[in-house]
Every structure is written in structure tokens, then in C-alpha cells.
Amino acid sequence: MKVTLKVWRQKNATSAGEFKTYSSPELNENMSFLEMLDVINEDLAIKGEEPIAFDHDCREGICGTCSLVIDGKPHGPHKGVATCQTYMRSFKNGDEIVIEPWRAKAFPIIKDLVCDRKAFDRIQHAGGFISVRTGAAPDANSIPVPKEDADLAMDAAQCIGCGACVAACKNASAMLFVAAKVSHLGLMPQGQPERYKRVKAMVDQMDAEGFGSCTITGSCEAVCPKEISLDFIARMNRDYAVALFKGEPKKTAGGGAG
Amino acid sequence: MTLVQQIFHSSLGRKYVAALTGAGLFFFLIGHLAGNLQIFGPPDLINGYAHFLKSKPLMVWGARLGLLACVGLHLYAVISLAMESKAARPVAYAGGAAYGSAWRSRYMMVSGLVILAFVVYHLAHFTALLPGINGFGDFSKLKTELKDAGEVPDVYAMMVLGFRVWWVTLFYLIAQALLFVHLGHGLSAMFQSLGLRNHVWWPRIQIFAKVFSTALLIGYISIPIAITLGLGRDYSDRAKAGLNMPLGQQSAPQQGPADALVLK
Ligand code: HEM
Ligand code: FES
């Protein structure tokens, strides 16, 4: 099979980008989408042209690095599937495929299809952790966790932080990502001590990064490769309200651990 | 930062404001509809109700200020958030609506702004009674007699004559249709914004939004539609005739609005 690609090319963060059109050589339909781009790039390199820069790492749907908007949908045509797990057999011979980067002010483009997602890291640093002393592994099940909570926490913890939610949202809102991170810790007993401090810090960092706000369009849930539910956003909204109304903790003199 | 500052500073805080003020406006819409549906009773019913409201200025002005605050805060919250959201995507995608987005959610600003224009018109139409905009003339001249209250504004005749102007009716119907769209999304969105949702309640909340947005639509459009189909036509003809009468003839038999009431 052969396809035509309309790809966003942008030299660097400051230059204006534009679409360029490329025709593929003969492709095997069982190639992955990223392998198809590898083949195109090989061609470009041979011709002495700049290869198309795109992000990828594990190529098995677990790291959250791949990030292409394919024909207007982040991660391409399938539900619950990352770009790297998308195969050419999902397209038809002769298709024109439009490939764009994640587009958001908070995810500035570095080059071509690669954007800078450090805003997510800064949100995580603001509160996406629990403070525990490491040491010998604790006994299994020494802290009881209701099965339903464990399951829900696992659903939230599936988030691979790819940013497709931001890319898909018409408001470029990061709510689904932040909600997943807030919920996965907030549902566990180990996450309770910092539960309200965490949600406050992470949401405030999200706002500071310049993401848009949620208008409950459902795009994020529709494109999430891990099918994270909007329910978690409601959970975060609830926790944030509690955090606001609790107010800042009482100031204490002196130090103390943690 | 104080709590109020934090609420207005954060995006989630302003979502709470949008949701709570939206809920406030929704409750008003239910009460307002209940009042208006009295048009389906005898003219005395709604005229008496209007007179009752007029006689409680403290209550009426309290409600008006509350509603004004709701509209103002709703507007501030949603417009400031929308502007930030617009800025959050400086370069647009190649085309098409956002994948997987619920269509109503994409038209919230448009439907809201038309509703706002409608509210301004509606207030000028039936509250301020501006003569120039109703396609009829001076509504404030329409008077009728109530048993215990004497001469009062003839709200029944005003509504009927108001909706016998086709373009007024059309604008009302368009605004109601857009309110239906706005609430079809908004009534479920407000639960989400306030965090009152989980996998058990979400399907129920969506049914709630469908049922109430549809009920309000049917309730509100039933009034201009019933009037277009002839509700109160004779009564309003008589009221109008009484209005146009030269001064000397006001007591002519079976013509004045007061007579019309007696006839009923
Ligand atoms: C009768 C008047 C109105 C009612 C009952 C109403 C109701 C609501 C409700 C319940 C919501 C959901 C809040 C949330 O997202 O949590 C909402 C959202 C919204 N409203 Fe209104 N509204 C009214 C008037 C307006 C007006 C005049 C505007 C003008 C711009 C407007 C624009 C919006 C927008 C942009 C949203 C945000 C939608 C979103 O978050 O997805 N509304 N409204
Ligand atoms: S490359 Fe790791 S998820 Fe796609």
C-alpha cells in the first residue's frame, strides 16, 4: 500500500511551521505507524533532506512518549490505543493522512512533531507523590485497601502522561491528566496524609502552566489511550473544593519531620 | 489569599461559580415558568399574580438583585475561563471540531450569548414595557379591573398581544431552543463542576439534564405557540379595541377591558 502524508514541519520553537506533503514508498500494511515514518525518514535522509522529528520511546503503548495527532485525532483512529500501537492496516491504500503535533501553549513545539511536555513534570513535582520512608519492603497487605478503591486507583494509575487529553481538548485543558494523578494517590490510604495539599498544589500548578479549563466536552476521555474516565475529574473538583474550604494549615513553630 | 480571591483566581473555583450561578438561574427558570403558565387560566389568575408580585417590592427587588448577581457572576466566570482557554491553544489544528466532543458543549458560548440578548429584550419587552420594540405599541396603557385591587396592568392582554407579533414569537422560540441546548449540557455539567459525580450517578445526572431541559422547553414554548394558535384572541381584541377608543366613547357597551372581564 501507499499513502500520502501531510506533515507539520517546524524548524524550531520560534519559527513558524507549515504543512509539507510526502508520498510514501510501497508499505507493508502490518507496519506500525511509526515504522512507516521511519521508512519515510530513511528516504528523506538519502535525499539529503531533514528527517521528520517525532517523539517515541517504548513503542509498546506504555511510556506515553509518542504523540501524533493523526487526521485530527490524537493517537490516531482507534479507541484506547497509542500512536505507537497504530498500524498501517488501519488506513487504506491511497489515503492522505494529516499528521500534526500536540498543539497547546503549555506544550511548546521543539521541532516538527515534537513538543515539550515538561509542564506535566512540574505539575507532578508540585504534589504527585507521597512522602514515605523507604527501607525494607513492608509486609504485603499490612494496610488494608478496599478492592473497589484499589481497582479505581489502578484505573487512574494507568495514565501514561502522554498529554493526548490536552491535545484533544478544544480548551487545551490538562484536567484529565491532573485528575488521574490526583485520584490515583488520593484513593489509597498511603495518599491520605497529603491528599488535600496535593490537589491544591497540582491544580494551582496546572493553572500556572497556561492550560485551558474544562468545559466537559468529553474529548479527553474519547482519545485517552488508557481510557481514563471523566469521573476522576469530578473527584478532583470535589477534593479541590474541600482543600479550598479547609484553608491553609495552622502555622506551627519549630520543625519536625515532614 | 482569601477564600474568595482563591475561588476567583483558580480555574476550578470559577467553574464552581459558573455551576452555582447556573443552578440559581435554573431554579429561577422553574419558578418563572410556573408563574407564566397561569396564562392558561382565566385572565384574572395571571393578572392577580402579577398584582401580587407588584405588591411585594422587597421580595421582587431582592429576587432581581439576586438574579442580576447570578447573571453577572456566571458571565464573568465563563467569559474569563473561555478567554484563557482560547489563549491556551495559539495555533489551531488543520480542521474539524474537536474529536469526541459533545456538540452541545461546543455551543455553550453561542447559546449563552443569544440567551443573554434574549434576556435583555425580554426585560425591555415585558418588564420595562418599552413601546418601540414590541411591534404593537404602548403596553402600559392596557389596564383591567381586579375585584379587590381596582385598576391593574392587564398582563394577560399584554402577553397575548405581545405574541401575536410573529417576529417576537419567532425570537422567543429561537431563544428557548437555545436555552434547551444550553441546559442540555449545563444541567449535567454543573454536577461535574461541583464534583458531584461518580459512575453510579453520572447516568442519572444525564437523565436529569434531559428531563428538565425538555420540560422547560415544552413549558416555555407552549405559551407563544398557544397564543399563535388563538389562545386569548377575543380577549386581547377587546382589550386592544378599548385602547384605541377615542376618549369620549370609553363607556361604549362591550368594548372596554373591564367589560371584557365581566363577560368572562
Ligand atoms: C437563563 C440563563 C442561564 C442558565 C440557566 C445557565 C445555566 C448554565 C449552567 C447550569 C451551566 C453549567 C455550569 C458548569 O459548567 O458547571 C452553564 C455554563 C455556561 N454558561 Fe450558562 N446559563 C445561563 C445563561 C448564560 C449566559 C447569558 C451566558 C453568556 C455567555 C452563558 C454562558 C455559559 C457558558 C460559556 C458556560 C460554560 C459551559 C461549560 O463549562 O461547558 N450562560 N450555564
Ligand atoms: S512510544 Fe511509548 S507509548 Fe507510544
Side-chain angles (χ1 to χ4, degrees), chain A residues 5 7-9 20-25 36-54 99 111-113:
Chain A
L5 302 181
V7 184
W8 186 259
R9 302 301 311 260
K20 285 238 169 80
T21 306
Y22 303 93
S23 305
S24 79
M36 178 274 291
L37 285 178
D38 292 337
V39 169
I40 300 266
N41 275 346
E42 227 164 66
D43 264 13
L44 289 177
I46 288 166
K47 280 192 250 166
E49 286 179 42
E50 187 71 16
I52 302 163
F54 62 93
I99 310 176
K111 183 175 181 174
D112 294 342
L113 303 169

Coordinates of all heavy atoms in Angstrom, one line a residue, chain A residues 5 7-9 20-25 36-54 99 111-113:
Chain A
L5 N 1.3 11.7 2.9 CA 1.3 12.3 4.2 C 1.4 13.9 4.1 O 2.1 14.4 3.3 CB 2.6 11.9 5.0 CG 2.8 10.4 5.2 CD1 4.1 10.2 6.0 CD2 1.6 9.8 5.9
V7 N 2.4 16.6 6.6 CA 3.0 16.6 7.9 C 3.4 18.0 8.3 O 3.8 18.8 7.5 CB 4.3 15.8 7.8 CG1 5.0 15.7 9.2 CG2 4.1 14.4 7.3
W8 N 3.2 18.3 9.6 CA 3.6 19.6 10.1 C 5.1 19.7 10.2 O 5.7 18.9 11.0 CB 2.9 19.9 11.5 CG 3.2 21.3 12.0 CD1 4.1 21.6 13.0 CD2 2.5 22.5 11.6 NE1 4.0 22.9 13.2 CE2 3.1 23.5 12.4 CE3 1.5 22.8 10.7 CZ2 2.7 24.8 12.3 CZ3 1.1 24.1 10.6 CH2 1.7 25.1 11.4
R9 N 5.8 20.6 9.5 CA 7.2 20.8 9.7 C 7.5 22.1 10.3 O 6.9 23.2 9.9 CB 7.9 20.7 8.3 CG 7.7 19.5 7.5 CD 8.1 18.2 8.2 NE 9.5 18.2 8.7 CZ 10.5 17.7 8.1 NH1 10.4 17.1 6.9 NH2 11.7 17.7 8.7
K20 N 3.9 20.1 4.9 CA 4.6 19.6 3.7 C 4.0 18.3 3.4 O 3.6 17.5 4.2 CB 6.1 19.5 4.0 CG 6.8 20.8 4.1 CD 8.0 20.8 3.1 CE 8.6 22.2 3.0 NZ 9.5 22.5 4.1
T21 N 3.9 18.0 2.1 CA 3.3 16.8 1.6 C 4.4 15.8 1.2 O 5.3 16.2 0.5 CB 2.3 17.1 0.5 OG1 1.4 18.1 1.0 CG2 1.5 15.8 0.1
Y22 N 4.2 14.5 1.5 CA 5.2 13.5 1.2 C 4.4 12.3 0.7 O 3.4 11.9 1.2 CB 6.1 13.1 2.4 CG 6.8 14.2 3.0 CD1 6.3 14.9 4.1 CD2 8.1 14.6 2.5 CE1 7.0 16.0 4.7 CE2 8.8 15.6 3.1 CZ 8.2 16.3 4.2 OH 8.9 17.3 4.7
S23 N 5.0 11.6 -0.4 CA 4.4 10.4 -0.8 C 5.2 9.2 -0.3 O 6.5 9.3 -0.3 CB 4.4 10.3 -2.3 OG 3.8 11.4 -2.9
S24 N 4.6 8.2 0.2 CA 5.3 7.1 0.8 C 5.7 6.2 -0.3 O 5.1 6.1 -1.4 CB 4.4 6.3 1.8 OG 3.5 5.5 1.1
P25 N 6.8 5.4 -0.1 CA 7.1 4.3 -1.0 C 6.1 3.2 -0.7 O 5.2 3.3 0.2 CB 8.5 3.9 -0.6 CG 8.7 4.3 0.8 CD 7.8 5.5 1.0
M36 N 6.3 3.3 9.6 CA 6.0 4.0 8.3 C 6.8 5.3 8.3 O 7.4 5.6 7.3 CB 4.5 4.2 8.2 CG 4.1 4.9 6.9 SD 4.1 6.7 7.1 CE 2.8 7.0 8.2
L37 N 6.8 6.0 9.4 CA 7.5 7.3 9.4 C 9.0 7.0 9.4 O 9.8 7.8 8.7 CB 7.2 8.1 10.7 CG 5.8 8.8 10.8 CD1 5.6 9.5 12.1 CD2 5.7 9.8 9.6
D38 N 9.5 5.9 10.0 CA 10.9 5.6 9.9 C 11.3 5.4 8.4 O 12.4 5.9 7.9 CB 11.2 4.3 10.6 CG 11.1 4.4 12.1 OD1 11.2 5.6 12.6 OD2 10.9 3.4 12.8
V39 N 10.4 4.7 7.6 CA 10.7 4.5 6.2 C 10.8 5.8 5.4 O 11.7 6.0 4.6 CB 9.6 3.5 5.7 CG1 9.7 3.5 4.1 CG2 9.8 2.1 6.3
I40 N 9.8 6.7 5.7 CA 9.8 8.0 5.1 C 11.1 8.7 5.4 O 11.7 9.3 4.5 CB 8.5 8.8 5.5 CG1 7.2 8.1 5.2 CG2 8.6 10.2 5.0 CD1 6.6 8.5 4.0
N41 N 11.5 8.7 6.7 CA 12.6 9.4 7.1 C 13.9 8.9 6.4 O 14.8 9.6 6.1 CB 12.8 9.4 8.6 CG 12.0 10.5 9.3 OD1 11.5 11.4 8.6 ND2 11.8 10.4 10.6
E42 N 14.0 7.6 6.2 CA 15.1 7.0 5.6 C 15.2 7.6 4.2 O 16.3 8.0 3.8 CB 14.9 5.4 5.5 CG 16.1 4.6 5.9 CD 15.7 3.2 6.2 OE1 15.4 2.5 5.2 OE2 15.8 2.8 7.3
D43 N 14.1 7.6 3.5 CA 14.1 8.2 2.2 C 14.6 9.7 2.2 O 15.4 10.1 1.3 CB 12.6 8.2 1.7 CG 12.3 7.1 0.8 OD1 13.1 6.1 0.8 OD2 11.3 7.1 0.1
L44 N 14.0 10.4 3.2 CA 14.4 11.8 3.3 C 15.9 12.0 3.5 O 16.6 12.8 2.9 CB 13.6 12.5 4.4 CG 12.2 12.8 4.1 CD1 11.5 13.4 5.4 CD2 11.9 13.7 2.9
A45 N 16.4 11.1 4.4 CA 17.9 11.2 4.7 C 18.7 10.9 3.5 O 19.7 11.6 3.2 CB 18.2 10.2 5.9
I46 N 18.3 9.9 2.7 CA 19.0 9.6 1.5 C 19.0 10.7 0.5 O 20.0 11.1 -0.1 CB 18.4 8.3 0.8 CG1 18.8 7.1 1.7 CG2 19.0 8.1 -0.6 CD1 18.0 5.8 1.4
K47 N 17.9 11.4 0.5 CA 17.8 12.6 -0.4 C 18.5 13.8 0.1 O 18.5 14.9 -0.5 CB 16.3 12.9 -0.7 CG 15.6 12.0 -1.7 CD 14.3 12.6 -2.1 CE 13.2 11.7 -1.5 NZ 11.8 12.3 -1.6
G48 N 19.0 13.7 1.4 CA 19.7 14.8 1.9 C 18.8 15.8 2.6 O 19.2 17.0 2.9
E49 N 17.5 15.5 2.8 CA 16.6 16.4 3.4 C 16.5 16.1 4.9 O 16.9 15.0 5.4 CB 15.2 16.2 2.8 CG 15.0 16.8 1.5 CD 13.6 16.6 0.9 OE1 12.6 16.8 1.6 OE2 13.5 16.3 -0.3
E50 N 16.0 17.0 5.7 CA 15.9 16.9 7.1 C 14.8 15.9 7.4 O 13.6 16.0 7.0 CB 15.5 18.2 7.7 CG 15.5 18.3 9.2 CD 16.9 18.3 9.9 OE1 17.9 18.4 9.1 OE2 17.0 18.0 11.1
P51 N 15.1 14.8 8.2 CA 14.0 13.8 8.5 C 13.0 14.5 9.4 O 13.2 15.5 10.1 CB 14.8 12.7 9.3 CG 16.2 13.0 9.1 CD 16.4 14.4 8.8
I52 N 11.8 13.9 9.5 CA 10.7 14.4 10.3 C 10.9 14.0 11.7 O 11.1 12.8 12.0 CB 9.3 13.8 9.8 CG1 9.1 14.1 8.3 CG2 8.2 14.3 10.7 CD1 8.0 13.2 7.7
A53 N 11.0 15.0 12.6 CA 11.2 14.7 14.0 C 9.9 14.3 14.7 O 8.9 15.0 14.5 CB 11.8 15.9 14.7
F54 N 9.9 13.2 15.3 CA 8.7 12.8 16.1 C 9.2 12.0 17.4 O 10.2 11.4 17.4 CB 7.7 11.9 15.3 CG 8.3 10.6 14.8 CD1 8.1 9.4 15.6 CD2 9.0 10.5 13.6 CE1 8.7 8.2 15.1 CE2 9.6 9.3 13.2 CZ 9.4 8.2 13.9
I99 N -0.8 14.7 9.6 CA -0.1 14.5 10.9 C 0.4 15.8 11.5 O 1.1 16.6 10.9 CB 1.2 13.6 10.7 CG1 0.8 12.3 9.9 CG2 1.8 13.2 12.1 CD1 2.0 11.5 9.6
K111 N 10.4 20.9 17.7 CA 10.7 20.7 16.3 C 9.7 19.8 15.7 O 9.2 18.8 16.3 CB 12.1 20.1 16.2 CG 12.5 19.9 14.8 CD 14.0 19.4 14.7 CE 14.3 19.3 13.2 NZ 15.6 19.0 12.9
D112 N 9.2 20.1 14.5 CA 8.3 19.3 13.7 C 7.1 18.8 14.6 O 6.3 19.6 15.0 CB 9.0 18.1 13.1 CG 9.9 18.6 12.0 OD1 9.8 19.7 11.5 OD2 10.8 17.7 11.7
L113 N 7.1 17.5 14.9 CA 6.0 16.9 15.7 C 6.4 16.7 17.1 O 5.6 16.0 17.8 CB 5.7 15.6 15.0 CG 5.3 15.7 13.5 CD1 5.2 14.3 12.8 CD2 4.0 16.4 13.3

